[in-house]
Amino acid sequence: MSSNGGSIQLTAQPRTEKKGSAIRELRLKGRIPAVVYGSELEGTPVHVDAKEFNKVVRTGRSEVFNLTVEGGETIPVIIKDYQQRDNQWLHADFLKISKNKPLRVRVSIDYQGTPVGTKTGGILQVQETEVEVEGLPADLPSTIEVDVSALDVGDKLSASDLKLPKGVTLHVPEEELLASIIVPRAVEVENAAVEGDAAATQGAEEASENKES
């Protein structure tokens, strides 16, 4: 689990044209149209380099970084939202944050290890890849690591099983299901068929014994 370091930088350029044709042209040039907003800051249209943005996204959406707007100021922000289609960035929203004000964000869950249940025919079924938490920006993790190696067939992992840094709290129900080890449907059907055949065989044998007696 890693915490925000604040050392990441991203440069943005002001965006004056808002027409669809201008936005398409930006994307063709490898730029992403975006908006910066937050406390005491009206929505400011900008655009950023797609490759540089991709590097920031890899660190996690809760990571605080400095966004420098050319001709303006440097602002501490997080990635609040983004749109992507066919591996192309369409738009991004940057939220200005206050380092002394709690922030609520969604953080990625990093499932680690090989569940013991998968070695006996089970499958790891993941219901959630993110979870919502709240805390001061400096305390927020970029990802939440959870070891699933001890999970056996039938076991479940809930939000309450997550270990969070000090000062960070969950904002989802503790019983919310995150992952479980299930038996494949085909195996269940096969087992049921085997059990049915065994029961039928036993019934036929008992009937035969009753006739003989």
Side-chain angles (χ1 to χ4, degrees):
M1 186 183 298
S2 56
S3 298
N4 292 312
S7 60
I8 300 173
Q9 306 280 337
L10 185 64
T11 300
Q13 295 180 0
R15 176 166 56 91
T16 54
E17 291 291 337
K18 301 178 182 179
K19 294 181 180 179
S21 57
I23 290 176
R24 285 192 295 272
E25 186 175 347
L26 278 175
R27 292 177 182 142
L28 288 173
K29 292 180 178 179
R31 308 290 295 182
I32 305 173
V35 174
V36 190
Y37 63 95
S39 177
E40 301 178 358
L41 178 66
E42 293 185 7
T44 303
V46 297
H47 57 92
V48 298
D49 182 80
K51 291 182 179 179
E52 294 301 313
F53 178 77
N54 197 47
K55 294 178 183 178
V56 177
V57 170
R58 289 179 187 151
T59 67
R61 282 174 56 181
S62 66
E63 186 81 19
V64 178
F65 62 95
N66 291 322
L67 182 72
T68 301
V69 181
E70 290 188 357
E73 59 181 330
T74 296
I75 308 167
V77 300
I78 64 167
I79 299 173
K80 183 62 177 177
D81 198 9
Y82 56 74
Q83 289 81 47
Q84 187 180 30
R85 185 175 62 223
D86 297 331
N87 294 321
Q88 180 185 28
W89 298 112
L90 300 180
H91 191 271
D93 292 337
F94 300 115
L95 175 65
K96 179 182 178 181
I97 58 98
S98 169
K99 295 183 179 180
N100 300 317
K101 196 171 183 179
L103 187 65
R104 189 179 299 184
V105 296
R106 293 192 67 81
V107 178
S108 297
I109 303 172
D110 182 8
Y111 295 98
Q112 297 191 339
T114 302
V116 64
T118 61
K119 299 175 183 178
T120 57
I123 293 177
L124 174 63
Q125 185 176 65
V126 174
Q127 271 78 24
E128 298 291 342
T129 57
E130 293 181 331
V131 67
E132 189 174 45
V133 299
E134 184 176 43
L136 292 176
D139 296 333
L140 292 171
S142 56
T143 60
I144 300 174
E145 297 175 359
V146 56
D147 185 2
V148 296
S149 58
L151 294 181
D152 207 342
V153 174
D155 288 346
K156 297 178 180 180
L157 181 76
S158 301
S160 60
D161 296 316
L162 297 176
K163 294 180 180 179
L164 301 176
K166 184 178 179 181
V168 178
T169 57
L170 272 175
H171 265 274
V172 297
E174 290 189 351
E175 65 275 11
E176 181 168 321
L177 181 63
L178 304 180
S180 59
I181 306 298
I182 63 170
V183 178
R185 180 63 181 167
V187 174
E188 290 181 349
V189 171
E190 182 179 346
N191 289 341
V194 170
E195 290 174 1
D197 290 343
T201 300
Q202 183 179 357
E205 290 176 351
E206 290 176 354
S208 177
E209 290 175 0
N210 290 336
K211 281 184 179 181
E212 291 176 358
S213 61

